[in-house]
Amino acid sequence: MQNRRHESVRYLLQPESIAVVGASDRPDRIGGRPLRILAERGYSGSVYAVNPKYESVQGVPCYPDIDSLPAGVELFIICIPAQAAVDALEQAAERGARAAVVFGGGFAEVGPEGRSLQNRLSAIAETAGMALAGPNTLGLASFTNRSYATFATTLQTMPAIEAGSVALVSQSGGTAFNLLTEAYWAGGRFSHVIATGNEAGVTFPDYLRYLATDPATSAVIGYLEGVADGEQLAVALGELQAAGKPVFILKTGASARGSRSVATHTAQFAGVDSAYDAVFDRFGVVRIASMDDAVDVARALTLDTPVDGLAVATNSGGAAAYLSDACDRFGVRLTDLADTTLAALRQALPSFAGLTNPIDFTAQVINDIDLMANTLRILDRDPDVDTLLVFLGSMEYLSEKLIDILVQTKAELHHPLVLTWLGVSDQVRLTAARAGLVVGADPSRVLRGLGLARAGRGRLSQAPGRSAGAPERERVDLADLRLRRHAAGGRHGIDEAQTMALLDRLGIRTPRRAEVATSAEAVAAADRIGYPCVLKLVEPFMAHRARHGAVAVGIDNAQQLTDAYERMTQRFAMTRALVVEQVRPGPELIAGVLADVTFGSRAVLGSGGVWANEINDMLTLVPPYDAAYVEHTLRRLKLSGQFAEPDSVSGLAKDIATILTRFDAVVRDGAIGITEIECNPLRVVDGAVTVLDALAFATGEEG
């Protein structure tokens, strides 16, 4: 069901009937809250309670067990302990349930016994073709459909919440509904709020795939701890990109402690942070840094404006520079006002008003309270303005009048209006929010949210995504390959001689070379290969040989080669070496692929050479490694300036994409046990790529 699971999410968010298993007559209990929320917030479908203790619960008919329910109940909310929840899910599946939410914990997040119970949940849902949310979840709320499968306490106290078009998907239930509350009072509105829990059934990527086709959702905010299947995450983000829906994700678990916290919270694996950055970059996702960012971007997305022309009005001329700097910092365009607009402002405002956007309508508003409204009406008519921001300071004693004027004026405006107000109590801003204004305190937070929203929309078209011609995963037949392993810092290294031979089998360009065991063999090999040549230590095994003097370049004759061989033998007790053709100079890259538990593999691509790690010009990629994606990555490197002709980068990208794709096949092939291949450097000469040096690492067992 994996490829279809996202389609069944609609039964979680738009069920025609709901049964609450473990229902309580007390609305403050976990089994009682869903019934209370459904009743108070206008769910229009059929609701049933299941509990042998009652005949009715909170006015809802109550049945002794699941088998007694009427046929055709679509969604089951299961509010009982772990073992009983598994049995209840099985019974619901037998009754033809289309979806279920399991609130309780005690599953994979607590250890092996819980993992076994969770596996049973997964198997039941998979066999039945049922959408399963949780376990260990706070549930879901669909404001679009007025459907609620949650016990979130915040919904007991918040006012009526109108639907927006932003979906919030979170692997933390508390975070999901905390952000809902914070964003609501800031002006953010959601289509759906989803807490995914342990994801025994429907996963974070499944929800994203559903939202890509959901007509009620235009953008997605995510709180992500980790995914088990990075490929499915990439598919989901690609579908959202194709649908033109910007995505903003707060990814946690980057630190060692954070990763451990993720494992004990929802049993997710946090994964390698750079790989998540790579998949976000590939599909145009904006990675946000804080919960404040999530609130701010929710507010900005709800305003539904491209923010291509912002006009700011304020009573504080001293704040104009602060506002201007914030706009520049967060990528928000302050528009240049039309001459007709400036003329109208001169007529309406005091002679000492500031008429360069941001507009200072001055503290004279204390005496003439209509100055603010008149300024906004004039700015709203400017042909280049699409968003209005008011920044007020102090004047709490006038707050009721100012709020009334802003509410009245907002109704007349053609463009979205957002209010920021400092120097007043939180109660003033709360009153403004209750009156229907979109409101914040520090204007920089509003501007940051607008900038993030603008960036999210822009990145959709700029990100490479996955091209239609992305290569299929290659298969390589290396079962007959036997590799010597060398213990190296807790890992098992495969020396250059063997790794380069592997590259030859993969059809990757390498220099001519010969493996030798004596200086005489080295001279004979050089006679065949030609001078100048390079001498490299092979055994004993050593990483970073060039830094230690175990590589000699520019050898022009037999005597130089003999001398170099003797020096290395004396210094390193060398028993085997490589004599290699010296390739003409050119730009150098580093490229490698290593196995990754989340994405199957991940690659690195950057500036190469002896000091590649110190240069810090390296980026991570995730599969598939198609040419368009590799070209996008190449152009982001500092090294890209060395490739003057655009065509040369495109051609180079095709070659590197082939190399990475074949390496990907190798590290996924368990037959030989290679977990990592690194090439440093790859040299580019006349547009062609040659691997000058390569090293691999493998599992401890010989292939």
Side-chain angles (χ1 to χ4, degrees):
M1 182 187 169
Q2 184 171 4
N3 291 332
R4 304 191 311 274
R5 192 164 49 208
H6 63 282
E7 298 173 0
S8 65
V9 170
R10 68 185 179 92
Y11 294 108
L12 288 166
L13 297 174
Q14 195 175 4
E16 294 185 2
S17 53
I18 298 174
V20 179
V21 181
S24 173
D25 204 33
R26 289 179 54 182
D28 60 333
R29 301 293 296 270
I30 288 178
R33 286 176 184 157
L35 292 170
R36 175 179 178 174
I37 293 168
L38 287 165
E40 291 179 348
R41 294 191 175 270
Y43 174 67
S44 60
S46 301
V47 180
Y48 308 95
V50 178
N51 192 325
K53 296 179 181 179
Y54 308 105
E55 293 186 0
S56 69
V57 175
Q58 298 182 48
V60 172
C62 190
Y63 297 80
D65 51 45
I66 290 173
D67 288 340
S68 303
L69 286 168
V73 177
E74 288 191 344
L75 172 63
F76 282 73
I77 302 175
I78 299 175
C79 317
I80 51 182
Q83 180 62 63
V86 174
D87 297 338
L89 185 70
E90 192 163 33
Q91 294 166 28
E94 291 171 355
R95 294 300 306 274
R98 309 305 296 267
V101 181
V102 177
F103 287 158
F107 291 92
E109 78 281 1
V110 300
E113 290 186 11
R115 169 63 68 181
S116 178
L117 288 174
Q118 184 164 313
N119 288 343
R120 285 184 59 195
L121 288 179
S122 299
I124 293 166
E126 184 75 18
T127 301
M130 181 195 310
L132 169 63
N136 189 26
T137 178
L138 201 53
L140 313 91
S142 174
F143 300 102
T144 296
N145 303 312
R146 294 188 178 182
S147 174
Y148 308 91
T150 179
F151 62 97
T153 58
T154 187
L155 292 180
Q156 292 180 207
T157 56
M158 291 182 71
I161 301 174
E162 63 272 28
S165 65
V166 182
L168 173 62
V169 185
S170 172
Q171 289 181 323
S172 164
T175 298
F177 287 91
N178 290 340
L179 288 176
L180 163 66
T181 305
E182 293 287 334
Y184 174 84
W185 293 114
R189 298 293 183 269
F190 296 100
S191 54
H192 319 286
V193 173
I194 299 166
T196 71
N198 285 12
E199 302 180 15
V202 182
T203 66
F204 189 92
D206 293 330
Y207 290 112
L208 297 188
R209 293 191 69 187
Y210 172 81
L211 294 170
T213 61
D214 177 30
T217 298
S218 62
V220 177
I221 298 172
Y223 178 86
L224 176 64
E225 296 175 345
V227 296
D229 190 335
E231 185 174 349
Q232 284 299 306
L233 177 63
V235 168
L237 294 176
E239 291 179 0
L240 284 161
Q241 181 191 22
K245 299 183 180 184
V247 179
F248 308 83
I249 291 183
L250 176 57
K251 170 68 176 72
T252 61
S255 67
R257 284 183 179 271
S259 182
R260 289 196 297 271
S261 296
V262 164
T264 57
H265 177 217
T266 56
Q268 299 293 341
F269 178 72
V272 176
D273 205 54
S274 63
Y276 283 96
D277 277 338
V279 78
F280 296 160
D281 172 72
R282 182 169 196 167
F283 296 103
V285 174
V286 176
R287 182 170 183 172
I288 54 179
S290 68
M291 294 188 187
D292 280 350
D293 281 353
V295 170
D296 295 341
V297 80
R299 170 173 46 210
L301 291 166
T302 302
L303 286 169
D304 192 24
T305 170
V307 207
D308 287 332
L310 175 71
V312 178
T314 176
N315 69 324
S316 171
Y322 176 77
L323 289 158
S324 298
D325 288 350
C327 286
D328 185 68
R329 184 164 66 253
F330 298 123
V332 177
R333 177 177 171 263
L334 272 173
T335 191
D336 294 322
L337 299 172
D339 290 342
T340 53
T341 303
L342 294 173
L345 289 170
R346 288 191 193 96
Q347 186 71 28
L349 297 178
S351 59
F352 49 88
L355 300 184
T356 301
N357 192 16
I359 303 301
D360 173 19
F361 53 78
T362 78
Q364 192 66 22
V365 70
I366 294 172
N367 298 322
D368 184 358
I369 206 164
D370 290 329
L371 283 177
M372 178 177 62
N374 291 335
T375 301
L376 290 173
R377 293 187 188 101
I378 293 168
L379 293 173
D380 187 57
R381 294 195 295 269
D382 188 285
D384 200 31
V385 168
D386 65 11
T387 312
L388 297 163
L389 185 149
V390 178
F391 173 50
L392 298 179
S394 301
M395 301 187 294
E396 183 157 353
Y397 74 100
L398 281 176
S399 60
E400 290 185 12
K401 290 183 179 179
L402 290 169
I403 290 170
D404 286 345
I405 287 174
L406 284 169
V407 170
Q408 295 169 20
T409 306
K410 179 186 174 184
E412 305 172 26
L413 301 176
H414 298 91
H415 299 112
L417 171 68
V418 58
L419 165 67
T420 61
W421 205 338
L422 283 174
V424 293
S425 63
D426 286 339
Q427 185 61 44
V428 170
R429 288 185 288 268
L430 183 61
T431 301
R434 284 178 170 153
L437 296 171
V438 178
V439 62
D442 186 342
S444 70
R445 283 195 55 183
V446 170
L447 293 168
R448 177 175 58 189
L450 290 170
L452 286 169
R454 195 164 190 261
R457 296 185 184 100
R459 289 186 189 182
L460 289 176
S461 59
Q462 298 165 4
R466 177 173 179 169
S467 65
E472 294 297 323
R473 188 175 301 162
E474 292 199 8
R475 297 289 184 266
V476 294
D477 184 8
L478 301 171
D480 63 330
L481 192 63
R482 294 294 179 265
L483 299 170
R484 298 184 304 273
R485 279 129 164 101
H486 307 269
R491 298 195 293 173
H492 294 83
I494 309 299
D495 60 49
E496 181 187 357
Q498 298 180 94
T499 305
M500 295 293 273
L502 170 62
L503 267 56
D504 290 339
R505 288 187 59 168
L506 296 175
I508 295 168
R509 185 195 300 266
T510 61
R512 292 176 296 158
R513 65 195 178 280
E515 188 173 2
V516 298
T518 67
S519 60
E521 289 180 7
V523 171
D527 288 340
R528 296 191 304 272
I529 292 170
Y531 293 98
C533 66
V534 179
L535 179 67
K536 298 181 175 183
L537 169 71
V538 171
E539 204 168 273
F541 180 82
M542 181 187 297
H544 307 297
R545 291 166 300 171
R547 294 191 186 186
H548 298 287
V551 176
V553 301
I555 298 173
D556 290 324
N557 54 57
Q559 186 60 54
Q560 291 180 8
L561 180 56
T562 301
D563 293 344
Y565 200 99
E566 291 176 356
R567 283 195 302 273
M568 287 192 195
T569 301
Q570 292 173 4
R571 183 174 178 185
F572 303 111
M574 183 171 69
T575 57
R576 292 169 52 245
L578 278 178
V579 177
V580 186
E581 168 193 7
Q582 183 159 312
V583 178
R584 288 190 291 118
E588 293 185 342
L589 293 160
I590 183 172
V593 173
L594 64 161
D596 185 276
V597 69
T598 303
F599 293 93
S601 78
R602 66 180 186 276
V604 293
L605 180 61
S607 296
V610 176
W611 304 105
N613 291 332
E614 284 71 17
I615 293 171
N616 193 27
D617 184 27
M618 198 178 305
L619 295 169
T620 300
L621 301 85
V622 291
Y625 306 110
D626 56 82
Y629 178 37
V630 172
E631 181 175 349
H632 166 79
T633 305
L634 279 171
R635 294 189 185 280
R636 293 174 60 209
L637 296 175
K638 301 170 189 174
L639 180 74
S640 63
Q642 297 187 33
F643 306 108
E645 297 297 327
D647 290 344
S648 68
V649 178
S650 299
L652 177 62
K654 292 178 183 177
D655 289 346
I656 294 175
T658 298
I659 292 171
L660 296 181
T661 299
R662 291 176 184 173
F663 286 178
D664 173 70
V666 171
V667 301
R668 291 174 189 261
D669 183 355
I672 57 175
I674 289 180
T675 58
E676 179 180 349
I677 307 175
E678 179 186 293
C679 299
N680 183 29
L682 298 84
R683 186 168 290 172
V684 183
V685 179
D686 297 331
V689 180
T690 302
V691 176
L692 301 192
D693 199 344
L695 189 64
F697 291 90
T699 56
E701 298 180 5
E702 191 165 306

